[in-house]
Amino acid sequence: MATTHLWHNARLATLADDTGWGLVEHGALLVQDDRLLWVGALDDMPAALRAQAGAQHDLGGALVTPGLVDCHTHLVYGGQRAGEFEMRLQGLDYAEIARSGGGIRSTVAATRACGDAELLAGARRRAQVLMAEGVTTLEIKSGYGLSLLDESRCLSIARQLGAELPLTVRTTYLGAHAIPPEFDGRADDYITAVCAWMPALHAAGLVDAVDAFCENIGFSPAQTRRVFVAARALGLPVKLHAEQLSDQDGAALAAEFGALSCDHLEYLSDAGVDAMRVAGTVAVLLPGAYYFLRETQLPPVAELRAQQVPIALASDHNPGSSPGLSLLLMANMACTLFRMTPLEAVLGITAHGARALGLTDRGRLVAGLRADFAVWDLEHPNELAYWFGHNPCRRVVAGGIERTA
Ligand code: NIG
Ligand code: FE
C-alpha cells in the first residue's frame, strides 16, 4: 500500500473559492497517492487521519499554493524569430510580417526541418523552465506543423513530454493556425484538410481540445465554424484565439460551441463578453503577447469582472508573439498592465487556468483534488504577482510526488 504523506507547518493559500486567498496558518496537507485526503490547520485534523500519515514533511512555515497551470502555450517548435523582433522594432508590424510570408509560416518551415529528437529536446527545455517556477499542468498546442505528418509529430512530442516529465500535459490541435505554403490562396481547401486530419489525430489519442486562429491574418468566422463542427462531431471541446488583433465576433462563435476558453481578447466586444458569460467560457488573457507586440488596446477586464466571466492567464509561449517562460511574470503584468488584482492574477494561473482546460480536479487546495502544490520562499501569496525576474519556488509536489531537480 502506498505511503500516506503529511505535509505540515505551512501557510496555505488554498484558493478554495474565488472570494479570497483561503489562508490557513499552521496548515497541513494529507496526501494519499495522487490526491489530497485532507487540508486544513494541523490542530483540526482528525486524530484517526493523522494516524495514517506514514511519512511527515516539515515545511518550516513556508507558503504553499496550488501548483500553477499554464493553460495556453505553443511549446513545440523549431527555430526562433529574433530577426522578426528586430524588424518590428524598426516599424514593421506583426500582421505585415505575417502577410509577407514571415511570422507563423517561418516557424512552420523551421519546425518541419527539425527532427523529432531536436523538437523534443527544445520543448523539454522550455517545459523544465516553467516547471521550476511551480507549473504542474501545461497545455501545449500544435500549429507549427500544418500537415498531417507534422501536426502529428508535434502533438506526439507534447504527449511524450507528459509521459516523461512529472507534470500533466494537455494537448490542443491547432491545425487552423495559418495557411501552409502548399495551400497558398486556398484557405477553404486547407480547412477541409484540417477537419479531415482531425479524426486520425484524435483516434491516435493526441487531441484533448481543438483551437483555431480567427483573425484577418488567420481564418474567417465561417472557416472557424467548420473546424468547430468537426470537433463537435468527435466530442472534442473547443477553444479559440479570438479578437487578438481585431473584433471578428469570434468569442460569440466559440461560445455557441460551448468553448472551454477564448484567448487573447483585446478587441472583445460587450456582446462577446455576454456570450462568454452565458456559455461559461473562460477568458484567457495573455499579457506576454500584449506586451511583446506592443499592443495598446486593453482587454475589457472591467466588463469581464462585472459579468463574472472567469479570467485565466497564460504564458502563450511561442517564438513570435510571446517568447517568455514565466507564469509569475504574466501574473505581475496582468496587474501592472491590465489592472487585475493579485488575487485575480493568482486565480488566473491556478483554478481558472485549470477550468480553461476543462479540469475541475486541480487548481485549489481542497480535499479530493489532485495533490499538485508548490512551496514558496514568500510570506504572502500576493507576492506571487509582485516580484518579477527571480524564482521564489522552492519545492513542487505533482500528483502526490515531490519533484527532484
Ligand atoms: O497566440 N495568434 C496566433 N498565435 C500565436 C502566435 C504565433 C506566432 O506568432 O508564431 C499567439 O499569439
Ligand atoms: Fe497562442
Side-chain angles (χ1 to χ4, degrees):
M1 213 179 90
T3 308
T4 300
H5 291 258
L6 176 67
W7 297 82
H8 66 100
N9 195 12
R11 172 176 289 171
L12 305 178
T14 63
L15 304 170
D17 56 45
D18 287 358
T19 61
W21 297 106
L23 283 181
V24 177
E25 300 294 341
H26 309 292
L29 303 155
L30 195 64
V31 175
Q32 193 169 58
D33 302 321
D34 63 351
R35 297 282 133 181
L36 294 167
L37 192 59
W38 193 89
V39 178
L42 184 63
D43 287 348
D44 297 337
M45 187 181 291
L49 274 182
R50 196 167 170 175
Q52 289 186 28
Q56 307 218 358
H57 311 266
D58 186 338
L59 290 167
L63 175 72
V64 174
T65 69
L68 306 188
V69 178
D70 194 347
C71 67
H72 179 144
T73 83
H74 310 248
L75 217 67
V76 181
Y77 60 83
Q80 46 82 13
R81 309 226 298 265
E84 182 183 306
F85 176 47
E86 288 203 52
M87 283 158 69
R88 288 198 292 105
L89 291 174
Q90 281 157 18
L92 255 82
D93 108 328
Y94 181 71
E96 274 175 274
I97 293 169
R99 281 196 200 93
S100 65
I104 295 172
R105 270 200 183 190
S106 71
T107 299
V108 171
T111 303
R112 288 178 173 182
C114 253
D116 288 0
E118 197 183 339
L119 277 181
L120 176 64
R124 186 194 291 117
R125 251 192 334 267
R126 297 187 270 270
Q128 283 169 336
V129 176
L130 292 166
M131 287 165 66
E133 218 184 52
V135 170
T136 49
T137 301
L138 177 63
E139 186 255 19
I140 301 179
K141 299 176 198 296
S142 65
Y144 291 122
L146 310 189
S147 68
L148 178 57
L149 174 69
D150 291 299
E151 287 292 290
S152 168
R153 281 196 322 128
C154 292
L155 289 167
S156 301
I157 283 164
R159 275 278 183 265
Q160 205 172 324
L161 276 185
E164 71 172 48
L165 296 174
L167 94 158
T168 303
V169 169
R170 301 292 284 180
T171 58
T172 301
Y173 172 45
L174 178 57
H177 196 196
I179 301 169
E182 59 276 20
F183 281 88
D184 240 343
R186 296 188 297 128
D188 286 321
D189 291 346
Y190 179 59
I191 290 295
T192 301
V194 166
C195 296
W197 300 335
M198 202 184 293
L201 294 169
H202 181 42
L206 294 175
V207 184
D208 294 322
V210 173
D211 195 347
F213 182 29
C214 184
E215 191 54 69
N216 288 324
I217 57 163
F219 295 94
S220 69
Q223 290 159 346
T224 302
R225 176 181 291 278
R226 291 177 58 205
V227 175
F228 285 175
V229 167
R232 184 162 63 189
L234 295 171
L236 287 167
V238 301
K239 309 167 79 67
L240 189 65
H241 280 71
E243 342 303 9
Q244 179 187 7
L245 308 169
S246 63
D247 183 10
Q248 303 279 323
D249 283 328
L253 171 64
E256 190 188 320
F257 285 80
L260 290 174
S261 72
C262 290
D263 304 38
H264 287 286
L265 301 176
E266 280 85 341
Y267 290 82
L268 181 65
S269 66
D270 286 352
V273 175
D274 204 47
M276 290 175 65
R277 176 186 58 78
V278 172
T281 299
V282 176
V284 178
L285 303 185
L286 304 167
Y290 172 91
Y291 159 78
F292 195 64
L293 296 183
R294 304 178 70 233
E295 179 58 69
T296 52
Q297 171 84 20
L298 284 163
V301 169
E303 287 78 4
L304 290 166
R305 189 186 280 136
Q307 298 298 322
Q308 294 184 308
V309 174
I311 302 175
L313 300 168
S315 69
D316 191 18
H317 177 87
N318 74 77
S321 68
S322 188
L325 282 167
S326 169
L327 213 41
L328 293 184
L329 179 58
M330 300 304 117
N332 175 270
M333 291 203 289
C335 297
T336 54
L337 303 175
F338 295 171
R339 289 310 193 212
M340 285 171 62
T341 67
L343 174 61
E344 287 173 329
V346 174
L347 283 166
I349 55 175
T350 53
H352 294 178
R355 182 164 163 187
L357 297 175
L359 300 173
T360 52
D361 66 342
R362 66 195 67 199
R364 306 183 194 273
L365 298 177
V366 170
L369 299 194
R370 250 180 90 81
D372 284 353
F373 55 88
V375 182
W376 306 94
D377 190 9
L378 300 171
E379 287 184 9
H380 193 279
N382 64 8
E383 292 175 73
L384 289 168
Y386 164 69
W387 304 105
F388 62 90
H390 73 114
N391 181 5
C393 185
R394 291 296 166 261
R395 300 170 80 169
V396 178
V397 171
I401 298 169
E402 180 163 23
R403 281 182 192 154
T404 47

